[in-house]
Amino acid sequence: MSDVYKLARKKTWSDDLGRHTTWYLLDERGVGGYYIDYIEWTVQRDWGLLRLDSECMAFRYNGKKGCVTSWSEVDTVLGMEPQEAFETICEHLGIKVRYL
């Protein structure tokens, strides 16, 4: 498998845990790749939101489009901003990202 992946989608959303930024990277065949999720952990206080820390986790997945057959965590970095965490994980994994 190639070490170049296509950025298929980037999504930012929030839930009760905090704010997520998620990148979906696909291999050249479009059937596997990496799912990288960054989260800024927050808690609600009477005086507003308090940011606790950040964590970025990379998962390797294999499967057909829309059907993940296996997941495995491959890397985690802590305490970085979203883009820095994403680039650090890609560097750790030795992959290059092709932006469309």
Side-chain angles (χ1 to χ4, degrees):
M1 200 179 291
S2 172
D3 65 345
V4 177
Y5 289 81
K6 174 177 68 173
L7 179 62
R9 191 167 132 206
K10 179 180 176 182
K11 179 180 174 183
T12 301
W13 49 283
S14 297
D15 62 12
D16 292 341
L17 298 175
R19 183 173 173 82
H20 297 258
T21 303
T22 305
W23 295 265
Y24 301 89
L25 304 176
L26 291 175
D27 65 16
E28 58 207 17
R29 297 170 305 177
V31 295
Y34 291 94
Y35 168 90
I36 300 174
D37 188 42
Y38 173 90
I39 182 169
E40 290 178 330
W41 301 99
T42 57
V43 292
Q44 179 71 44
R45 297 286 185 221
D46 293 338
W47 40 267
L49 288 175
L50 172 65
R51 178 180 172 191
L52 297 177
D53 201 355
S54 68
E55 180 176 20
C56 189
M57 298 162 284
F59 298 90
R60 181 91 173 96
Y61 66 90
N62 297 309
K64 296 179 181 173
K65 211 173 190 179
C67 175
V68 175
T69 55
S70 65
W71 288 89
S72 59
E73 185 175 356
V74 292
D75 197 16
T76 301
V77 294
L78 305 170
M80 297 180 182
E81 293 299 317
Q83 191 63 35
E84 179 187 11
F86 174 72
E87 291 171 2
T88 300
I89 281 187
C90 289
E91 184 179 312
H92 288 179
L93 297 174
I95 62 174
K96 297 174 184 74
V97 177
R98 184 168 23 123
Y99 297 90
L100 300 177

